[in-house]
Amino acid sequence: MSGSTGRPLGRRTFVVGAAAAGAALAGPLAGTAAAAGFGWSDDGSNYVVDTGAGLVLKVSKTNGDLTSLVYKGTEYQGYGGKNSHVESGLGTSTVTIAQSGSTILVSVAYGTLKHYYAARSGENNVYLWTGKADSSVTATRYIVRVKAGLFLNDEPDSYTYAPTVIESADVFEKSDGQTRAKHYSKLRVMDYSYIGWTTGGVGLWIVRSNHEKASGGPFYRSLLRHQSADGGGLYEILYYGENQTESERYGLQGPYVIALTDGGAPSSSLYPGTLTTSWADSLGISGYVAAVGRGRVAGVGITGRDTAYPYTVALANSAAQYWGSARSSDGYFSIAGVLPGTYTLTVFKGELAVYTSSVTVSAGATTTLNTIAVPSSNDPGNATAIWRINNWDGTPSGFKNADLMTYAHPSDVRAASWTGNVVVGSGTETSAFPCYLWKDVNSGIVVYFKLTATQAAAAHTLRIGVTTAYANGRPQVVVNDTWTSAVPSPPTQPGTRSLTVGSYRGNNHTFTYSVPASAWLTDTSAYNTLKIYVASGSGTTSYLSAGTSIDAIDLLT
């Protein structure tokens, strides 16, 4: 699969990610004049829509599946005899079609679920919305199923069925020891605007929605695509349960876009935060809220930042979520297209929450916030430490194997040993410390450090920050084999797999341990030892034993 997998990570706007669907909108897209051939027909089983620009699609009149996607004469839809559809396909549905000027809308009703396809004259795009009103219908994704052999599968870690199943029937190992799973996306939702494939002559992409009705926030990772001998799948995830920190939100999600190109990336005018859909305002889409019914939040700046890190501002309540990047120079941010309501506003240093407040958004108005001052005490990195391993940013980045773990299983042959001791002051203490600890794999890892006479004469606070945990895994510590901490209570964390499916993003939590002076060695030339064990009565074995991911560890003065 040659070509880009998404929007370059270095590209940033000040209204990004979920600030987007919302950011919808004003002004129709180009192409309002009817193109030659634009229109629709009924072949008995499907509604057939021709955009007049080389794209012809078919939607089943029975269940709303996308049964055909032909671009310039080539059929791209389908592998393994399956259609493209919501979830794994809806049952018998009510499917209708209507044309309004230069837009054709196919509406699908299945119980309380409403799904829509829109095509525009002269465009090679299919706009989709999915509205889930309640839990009566299981619908957590839309999948575009692409025929095998049309795009190269040369992305090194693209999901490919491998001969050996190593976990839960969805994680595989190749003969060379590398692992593959559809869960391994590499990207957080805020890092990409589109995903797909290109041959150089044809590109097939899904441009994501703003995820305002999804869950998990800006740093969440979920399915993006997979490819195997049977074909490929491109996903728009409506709700993903793995390592999920939030309840499912209901309502209309979209638009997300199936975009066909002549090989290049989809037009930036389709990206979340830039897409305008005023042409959809009068189509009667259930749950649709036009630009005039949305508001905006703008902050003049953020002080108290550590300028070594990017800052993100997020809004969330039970109904919707949004986010935007804070400007590196002064912390200015703007989040547009927000549904009216009262939200919790959170400022993140990296992925670590360092400030929260409440903000109310009104339709058609901008809520302007004065400068946000992040208290120094809210950032654990500001505390004076005797020693510190890694930096406090809400991620395990910098620790051993951290980068690999977003796209590989911990057993992958490319992973460095999960065991090995760590010496503070060696210069390699961070890179030598494993990003994850498991009860059955590397519990009891040892950290060696020295103290001055003055330091050894006093009690100190030890802190261990974690980003998620599996099976209630949490750290219990032993100092110099003489002092043992109590087993701490487990913080609230997701109840699903996490560390083995490419995600460290749970609920950040800091464990603190008050270590008495009597625990330290008085010989200043000798190394003190800190052993970190994983405590839990849950989990199974190996990498599915109780575990936790680490953010930072320090000993405070």
XYZ file of all heavy atoms in Angstrom, residues 394-468:
555
model
N 1.718 12.084 30.690
C 0.532 11.267 30.488
C 0.704 10.116 29.532
O -0.275 9.445 29.181
N 1.945 9.854 29.098
C 2.208 8.757 28.175
C 3.454 7.999 28.625
O 4.288 8.550 29.351
C 2.461 9.258 26.738
O 3.831 9.707 26.614
C 1.527 10.401 26.365
N 3.631 6.758 28.162
C 4.863 6.022 28.451
C 5.984 6.306 27.459
O 7.018 5.637 27.488
C 4.417 4.555 28.372
C 3.294 4.570 27.395
C 2.597 5.897 27.562
N 5.787 7.295 26.601
C 6.783 7.619 25.585
C 8.150 7.856 26.220
O 8.271 8.567 27.213
C 6.353 8.863 24.808
O 7.306 9.211 23.834
N 9.173 7.251 25.642
C 10.533 7.363 26.161
C 10.980 6.110 26.876
O 12.181 5.815 26.938
N 10.041 5.354 27.422
C 10.374 4.092 28.059
C 10.643 3.018 27.001
O 10.252 3.142 25.841
C 9.227 3.630 28.962
C 9.156 4.328 30.290
C 7.948 4.827 30.752
C 10.270 4.469 31.094
C 7.851 5.452 31.983
C 10.191 5.092 32.332
C 8.982 5.583 32.781
N 11.275 1.960 27.431
C 11.612 0.848 26.541
C 10.350 0.247 25.916
O 9.376 -0.030 26.611
C 12.386 -0.216 27.315
C 12.841 -1.404 26.472
C 13.908 -2.227 27.169
C 13.418 -2.855 28.445
N 14.433 -3.768 29.040
N 10.380 0.088 24.602
C 9.318 -0.519 23.790
C 8.067 0.346 23.648
O 7.075 -0.090 23.045
C 8.895 -1.890 24.346
C 9.990 -2.925 24.233
O 10.783 -2.914 23.294
N 10.057 -3.829 25.198
N 8.087 1.570 24.152
C 6.869 2.383 24.134
C 6.361 2.645 22.719
O 5.162 2.509 22.449
C 7.102 3.702 24.866
N 7.240 3.032 21.817
C 6.798 3.349 20.464
C 6.233 2.124 19.753
O 5.221 2.210 19.043
C 7.946 3.941 19.647
C 8.343 5.323 20.116
O 7.541 5.961 20.821
O 9.464 5.761 19.793
N 6.850 0.984 19.934
C 6.424 -0.239 19.262
C 5.036 -0.677 19.711
O 4.278 -1.260 18.934
C 7.442 -1.357 19.537
C 7.161 -2.724 18.909
C 7.244 -2.650 17.393
C 8.127 -3.777 19.453
N 4.693 -0.394 20.951
C 3.479 -0.955 21.528
C 2.185 -0.388 20.963
O 1.110 -0.912 21.246
C 3.488 -0.803 23.047
C 4.462 -1.727 23.751
S 4.173 -3.500 23.425
C 5.316 -3.829 22.071
N 2.242 0.660 20.155
C 1.014 1.147 19.534
C 0.709 0.403 18.240
O -0.353 0.606 17.649
C 1.091 2.655 19.244
O 2.158 2.906 18.326
C 1.292 3.435 20.526
N 1.629 -0.466 17.787
C 1.354 -1.215 16.562
C 1.890 -2.636 16.593
O 2.056 -3.268 15.549
C 1.894 -0.470 15.330
C 3.380 -0.226 15.301
C 4.243 -1.102 14.646
C 3.931 0.905 15.889
C 5.611 -0.868 14.595
C 5.291 1.154 15.833
C 6.123 0.261 15.191
O 7.476 0.501 15.144
N 2.124 -3.181 17.782
C 2.599 -4.557 17.882
C 2.217 -5.142 19.233
O 1.977 -4.418 20.204
C 4.116 -4.629 17.686
N 2.167 -6.466 19.285
C 1.899 -7.172 20.533
C 3.172 -7.202 21.368
O 4.287 -7.193 20.822
C 1.437 -8.601 20.213
C 0.900 -9.346 21.378
N 1.703 -10.132 22.187
C -0.360 -9.437 21.882
C 0.951 -10.675 23.133
N -0.303 -10.270 22.972
N 3.064 -7.212 22.682
C 4.279 -7.235 23.517
C 5.198 -8.420 23.258
O 6.396 -8.346 23.550
C 3.718 -7.279 24.951
C 2.371 -6.665 24.842
C 1.840 -7.068 23.498
N 4.668 -9.493 22.698
C 5.497 -10.665 22.404
C 6.250 -10.541 21.090
O 7.033 -11.430 20.732
C 4.619 -11.917 22.358
O 3.703 -11.857 21.258
N 6.046 -9.474 20.367
C 6.641 -9.283 19.042
C 8.157 -9.416 19.102
O 8.812 -8.951 20.039
C 6.262 -7.903 18.502
C 6.506 -7.760 17.014
O 7.689 -7.671 16.614
O 5.521 -7.716 16.255
N 8.714 -10.027 18.076
C 10.160 -10.258 18.029
C 10.945 -8.952 18.033
O 12.122 -8.920 18.431
C 10.508 -11.089 16.775
C 10.266 -10.286 15.496
C 11.945 -11.599 16.825
N 10.327 -7.864 17.627
C 11.010 -6.569 17.592
C 11.126 -5.909 18.958
O 11.849 -4.923 19.111
C 10.269 -5.631 16.632
C 10.352 -6.029 15.172
C 9.378 -5.247 14.319
N 7.989 -5.637 14.595
C 6.934 -5.091 13.996
N 7.108 -4.127 13.099
N 5.717 -5.514 14.286
N 10.417 -6.421 19.940
C 10.443 -5.828 21.284
C 11.736 -6.206 22.008
O 12.178 -7.357 21.971
C 9.239 -6.293 22.093
N 12.330 -5.226 22.671
C 13.481 -5.508 23.533
C 12.990 -6.259 24.768
O 11.801 -6.260 25.093
C 14.155 -4.200 23.935
N 13.909 -6.886 25.463
C 13.548 -7.661 26.652
C 12.749 -6.815 27.632
O 13.086 -5.660 27.899
C 14.811 -8.182 27.336
O 14.489 -8.774 28.576
N 11.689 -7.408 28.160
C 10.843 -6.695 29.110
C 11.443 -6.681 30.514
O 10.910 -6.020 31.408
C 9.449 -7.321 29.146
C 8.661 -7.015 27.913
C 8.416 -7.833 26.855
C 8.023 -5.774 27.589
N 7.671 -7.196 25.897
C 7.412 -5.928 26.328
C 7.909 -4.548 28.249
C 6.697 -4.888 25.711
C 7.207 -3.527 27.645
C 6.603 -3.692 26.382
N 12.511 -7.408 30.714
C 13.165 -7.432 32.019
C 14.458 -6.632 31.957
O 14.820 -6.076 30.927
C 13.457 -8.877 32.442
O 14.298 -9.493 31.449
C 12.170 -9.679 32.561
N 15.162 -6.584 33.080
C 16.411 -5.824 33.148
C 16.325 -4.737 34.189
O 15.278 -4.100 34.357
N 17.408 -4.536 34.896
C 17.419 -3.564 35.984
C 17.767 -2.164 35.483
O 18.290 -1.986 34.377
C 18.395 -4.011 37.065
C 17.993 -5.355 37.645
O 16.814 -5.654 37.769
N 18.978 -6.188 37.977
N 17.500 -1.180 36.318
C 17.648 0.219 35.936
C 18.506 0.932 36.974
O 18.305 0.759 38.179
C 16.263 0.892 35.853
C 16.408 2.372 35.548
C 15.395 0.197 34.806
N 19.458 1.729 36.507
C 20.343 2.464 37.408
C 20.129 3.954 37.198
O 20.379 4.489 36.107
C 21.820 2.105 37.165
C 22.718 2.898 38.115
C 22.048 0.614 37.331
N 19.648 4.635 38.239
C 19.453 6.082 38.171
C 20.816 6.763 38.074
O 21.735 6.445 38.819
C 18.693 6.578 39.410
C 18.636 8.100 39.435
C 17.294 5.986 39.443
N 20.928 7.705 37.162
C 22.196 8.398 36.951
C 23.035 7.807 35.849
O 24.069 8.369 35.484
N 22.596 6.696 35.285
C 23.360 6.043 34.219
C 23.189 6.744 32.881
O 23.987 6.553 31.962
C 22.916 4.587 34.075
O 21.551 4.523 33.648
N 22.145 7.549 32.761
C 21.841 8.182 31.485
C 20.913 7.339 30.631
O 20.406 7.806 29.609
N 20.717 6.080 31.023
C 19.833 5.188 30.270
C 18.650 4.714 31.118
O 17.950 3.784 30.746
C 20.614 3.955 29.771
O 21.118 3.227 30.906
C 21.756 4.362 28.870
N 18.454 5.372 32.261
C 17.415 4.879 33.166
C 16.024 4.896 32.537
O 15.199 4.018 32.807
C 17.406 5.659 34.488
C 17.301 7.154 34.344
C 18.658 7.831 34.373
O 19.520 7.460 33.557
O 18.836 8.743 35.195
N 15.753 5.874 31.673
C 14.429 5.920 31.044
C 14.321 4.884 29.933
O 13.367 4.103 29.881
C 14.139 7.318 30.496
O 14.086 8.250 31.581
C 12.800 7.350 29.767
N 15.282 4.862 29.029
C 15.214 3.924 27.906
C 15.341 2.479 28.347
O 14.932 1.559 27.622
C 16.300 4.248 26.874
O 17.593 4.153 27.455
N 15.890 2.241 29.532
C 16.035 0.872 30.038
C 14.815 0.396 30.803
O 14.643 -0.805 31.032
C 17.273 0.774 30.930
N 13.966 1.336 31.215
C 12.795 0.965 32.012
C 11.656 0.579 31.072
O 11.303 1.345 30.168
C 12.359 2.126 32.905
C 11.445 1.715 34.015
C 11.935 1.516 35.295
C 10.086 1.492 33.778
C 11.094 1.127 36.328
C 9.245 1.095 34.804
C 9.741 0.908 36.078
N 11.031 -0.573 31.245
C 9.958 -0.997 30.339
C 8.704 -0.147 30.484
O 8.341 0.259 31.600
C 9.694 -2.448 30.749
C 10.160 -2.536 32.164
C 11.319 -1.589 32.271
N 8.064 0.111 29.375
C 6.869 0.954 29.392
C 5.700 0.279 30.097
O 4.828 0.963 30.639
C 6.473 1.360 27.980
S 6.044 -0.004 26.875
N 5.679 -1.048 30.086
C 4.594 -1.788 30.721
C 5.173 -2.773 31.729
O 6.259 -3.339 31.525
C 3.795 -2.594 29.690
C 3.085 -1.812 28.627
C 2.640 -2.441 27.469
C 2.825 -0.447 28.751
C 1.979 -1.750 26.464
C 2.169 0.259 27.769
C 1.750 -0.403 26.619
O 1.093 0.294 25.629
N 4.416 -3.003 32.793
C 4.776 -4.019 33.779
C 3.613 -4.990 33.913
O 2.456 -4.574 33.981
C 5.058 -3.376 35.144
C 6.195 -2.349 35.234
C 6.272 -1.782 36.646
C 7.525 -2.962 34.817
N 3.929 -6.304 33.934
C 2.918 -7.340 34.118
C 3.297 -8.231 35.300
O 4.476 -8.506 35.539
C 2.815 -8.240 32.889
C 2.238 -7.635 31.668
C 0.932 -7.581 31.297
C 2.968 -7.022 30.588
N 0.798 -6.969 30.077
C 2.034 -6.630 29.616
C 4.331 -6.783 30.353
C 2.399 -5.998 28.433
C 4.696 -6.162 29.186
C 3.741 -5.765 28.234
N 2.291 -8.715 35.961
C 2.500 -9.583 37.121
C 3.244 -10.851 36.734
O 4.073 -11.367 37.501
C 1.147 -9.937 37.745
C 1.233 -10.674 39.074
C -0.142 -10.841 39.684
C -0.054 -11.532 41.039
N -1.405 -11.676 41.664
N 2.982 -11.361 35.532
C 3.541 -12.653 35.115
C 4.728 -12.520 34.163
O 5.218 -13.527 33.656
C 2.438 -13.475 34.439
C 2.714 -14.961 34.462
O 3.305 -15.439 35.450
O 2.345 -15.655 33.485
N 5.188 -11.276 33.910
C 6.254 -11.087 32.919
C 7.478 -10.416 33.523
O 8.596 -10.941 33.431
C 5.750 -10.257 31.715
C 6.891 -9.972 30.733
C 4.610 -10.987 31.006
N 7.296 -9.253 34.140
C 8.456 -8.505 34.629
C 8.184 -7.812 35.953
O 8.813 -6.800 36.278
C 8.925 -7.488 33.586
C 7.810 -6.537 33.152
O 6.652 -6.689 33.536
N 8.171 -5.554 32.350
N 7.267 -8.332 36.718
C 7.018 -7.799 38.058
C 8.273 -7.946 38.906
O 8.989 -8.951 38.815
C 5.861 -8.558 38.708
O 5.555 -8.042 39.979
N 8.568 -6.930 39.718
C 9.758 -6.974 40.564
C 10.982 -6.340 39.934
O 12.109 -6.539 40.403
N 10.785 -5.544 38.886
C 11.912 -4.851 38.271
C 12.601 -3.980 39.328
O 11.958 -3.425 40.216
C 11.446 -4.008 37.070
C 12.660 -3.523 36.258
C 10.592 -2.837 37.513
C 12.271 -2.989 34.902
N 13.928 -3.875 39.235
C 14.714 -3.208 40.274
C 15.284 -1.898 39.752
O 15.867 -1.845 38.666
C 15.862 -4.105 40.768
C 16.621 -3.407 41.906
C 15.323 -5.450 41.236
N 15.112 -0.844 40.550
C 15.720 0.451 40.268
C 16.792 0.702 41.332
O 16.508 0.634 42.537
C 14.671 1.580 40.315
C 15.333 2.938 40.099
C 13.577 1.341 39.275
N 18.009 0.973 40.899
C 19.131 1.251 41.807
C 19.378 2.761 41.853
O 19.387 3.431 40.813
C 20.403 0.555 41.320
C 20.345 -0.957 41.392
C 19.891 -1.708 40.306
C 20.755 -1.630 42.538
C 19.839 -3.094 40.357
C 20.720 -3.022 42.601
C 20.254 -3.735 41.512
O 20.200 -5.118 41.582
N 19.620 3.291 43.043
C 19.889 4.726 43.164
C 20.669 4.987 44.460
O 20.586 4.226 45.427
C 18.588 5.533 43.160
C 17.647 5.188 44.289
C 17.624 5.933 45.471
C 16.780 4.104 44.186
C 16.759 5.625 46.503
C 15.908 3.780 45.226
C 15.895 4.543 46.386
N 21.406 6.079 44.452
C 22.168 6.483 45.635
C 21.538 7.729 46.250
O 20.896 8.526 45.557
C 23.624 6.764 45.273
C 24.414 5.527 44.867
C 25.867 5.878 44.551
C 26.660 4.640 44.184
N 28.095 4.969 43.886
N 21.741 7.905 47.566
C 21.284 9.081 48.288
C 22.445 9.701 49.039
O 23.372 8.991 49.473
C 20.181 8.710 49.283
C 18.869 8.165 48.712
C 17.942 7.752 49.855
C 18.191 9.184 47.808
N 22.399 11.017 49.195
C 23.389 11.677 50.047
C 23.021 11.398 51.503
O 21.927 10.919 51.818
C 23.388 13.187 49.807
O 22.128 13.723 50.244
C 23.610 13.513 48.332
N 23.914 11.744 52.391
C 23.654 11.520 53.817
C 22.427 12.305 54.272
O 21.597 11.811 55.049
C 24.879 11.912 54.634
N 22.318 13.517 53.784
C 21.161 14.331 54.160
C 19.869 13.718 53.635
O 18.854 13.659 54.342
C 21.318 15.762 53.608
O 22.501 16.346 54.161
C 20.108 16.619 53.972
N 19.893 13.275 52.391
C 18.698 12.658 51.816
C 18.322 11.368 52.534
O 17.143 11.100 52.775
C 18.935 12.379 50.320
C 19.037 13.640 49.483
C 19.601 13.378 48.101
O 20.178 12.309 47.840
N 19.449 14.354 47.206
N 19.335 10.585 52.914
C 19.075 9.298 53.578
C 18.552 9.480 54.998
O 18.014 8.535 55.588
C 20.342 8.451 53.588
N 18.694 10.673 55.516
C 18.247 10.920 56.893
C 16.794 11.371 56.968
O 16.284 11.617 58.067
C 19.147 11.973 57.534
N 16.141 11.473 55.825
C 14.770 12.005 55.816
C 13.803 11.049 55.122
O 14.192 10.232 54.286
C 14.749 13.358 55.104
N 12.539 11.170 55.480
C 11.480 10.447 54.779
C 11.230 11.135 53.433
O 11.428 12.346 53.289
C 10.214 10.429 55.610
N 10.790 10.375 52.453
C 10.527 10.939 51.128
C 9.260 10.329 50.536
O 8.830 9.234 50.930
C 11.698 10.685 50.179
C 12.973 11.324 50.617
N 13.155 12.685 50.648
C 14.132 10.777 51.074
C 14.366 12.964 51.091
N 14.983 11.812 51.363
N 8.717 11.034 49.577
C 7.545 10.541 48.855
C 7.970 9.988 47.506
O 8.629 10.679 46.720
C 6.515 11.670 48.643
O 6.042 12.118 49.918
C 5.336 11.176 47.824
N 7.603 8.764 47.263
C 7.825 8.125 45.965
C 6.532 8.216 45.165
O 5.444 7.971 45.699
C 8.219 6.663 46.159
C 8.356 5.825 44.882
C 9.631 6.191 44.138
C 8.322 4.339 45.210
N 6.640 8.585 43.888
C 5.458 8.669 43.030
C 5.638 7.773 41.810
O 6.714 7.737 41.212
C 5.203 10.107 42.564
C 5.019 11.109 43.682
C 4.594 12.474 43.147
N 5.550 13.042 42.187
C 5.418 14.249 41.626
N 4.368 15.009 41.924
N 6.329 14.700 40.783
N 4.591 7.076 41.453
C 4.570 6.288 40.221
C 3.295 6.664 39.468
O 2.189 6.477 39.969
C 4.592 4.772 40.490
C 5.856 4.384 41.255
C 4.504 3.996 39.178
C 5.927 2.900 41.614
N 3.457 7.236 38.289
C 2.315 7.600 37.465
C 2.018 6.497 36.465
O 2.931 5.927 35.864
N 0.741 6.193 36.283
C 0.338 5.194 35.301
C -0.672 5.811 34.343
O -1.324 6.809 34.661
C -0.256 3.941 35.980
C 0.741 3.345 36.970
C -1.575 4.255 36.680
N -0.806 5.207 33.173
C -1.731 5.733 32.170
C -2.925 4.823 31.930
O -3.960 5.277 31.445
C -1.020 5.992 30.829
O -0.634 4.743 30.255
C 0.212 6.857 31.035
N -2.788 3.556 32.220
C -3.907 2.622 32.169
C -3.489 1.377 32.920
O -2.332 1.254 33.363
C -4.326 2.276 30.720
O -5.637 1.660 30.734
C -3.346 1.323 30.051
